[in-house]
Amino acid sequence: MKLLFLLLIFASVVFSQNQIQIVEKDENSILVKGTISGSAITLFLENKKITDCDMYDNYIDGWYYYDKYKIKIYLTGFSNKCDIKLFNYGKNHSAAQKSVYIINTSSSKIDSLYENSKYEE
């Protein structure tokens, strides 16, 4: 439930000064519609699993697209208490996402794994 609250905060920051509409939500995912610079977008985020044995740190996968084009831009990242970081790896997104999951161990720092990888967005 706390993750859902964090996702709502994230969505409100992403769509700051714009009206957002929560279309659908459940315990592990949220679908939000809003605008970025006047362009309508749809954002979907899903809680995947807990990282580093901390119940407040989670992997997050999802996507967003501009409603006009409907081409999904895939996202992966993590939440660290109240901080959410999402990344896109371009054409190699799926492979890069899997490699980050495999590399992660309880002794590694999850934020450095993502930030040191070659993300595009």
Side-chain angles (χ1 to χ4, degrees), residues 58-72:
N58 296 286
Y59 286 114
I60 298 173
D61 286 336
W63 49 262
Y64 76 96
Y65 63 70
Y66 290 90
D67 292 349
K68 181 177 180 180
Y69 303 108
K70 298 204 187 267
I71 298 172
K72 289 182 179 176

Side-chain angles (χ1 to χ4, degrees), residues 5-72:
F5 178 70
L6 294 174
L7 292 176
L8 290 173
I9 291 172
F10 170 76
S12 66
V13 170
V14 168
F15 305 116
S16 63
Q17 298 181 351
N18 294 307
Q19 192 171 16
I20 64 168
Q21 174 187 5
I22 299 172
V23 177
E24 183 179 317
K25 67 179 180 176
D26 63 28
E27 202 170 297
N28 290 314
S29 66
I30 188 168
L31 181 66
V32 180
K33 290 193 173 272
T35 60
I36 296 178
S37 300
S39 298
I41 72 160
T42 300
L43 171 72
F44 174 78
L45 296 174
E46 182 177 27
N47 179 22
K48 296 308 268 184
K49 64 180 181 176
I50 295 172
T51 63
D52 296 334
C53 301
D54 187 334
M55 64 186 253
Y56 298 114
D57 295 350
N58 296 286
Y59 286 114
I60 298 173
D61 286 336
W63 49 262
Y64 76 96
Y65 63 70
Y66 290 90
D67 292 349
K68 181 177 180 180
Y69 303 108
K70 298 204 187 267
I71 298 172
K72 289 182 179 176

Side-chain angles (χ1 to χ4, degrees), residues 59 89 95-104 110 113-114 117:
Y59 286 114
Y89 297 99
Q97 173 187 15
K98 287 177 186 174
S99 68
V100 171
Y101 285 175
I102 292 169
I103 293 170
N104 183 35
I110 186 87
L113 289 175
Y114 281 100
S117 59

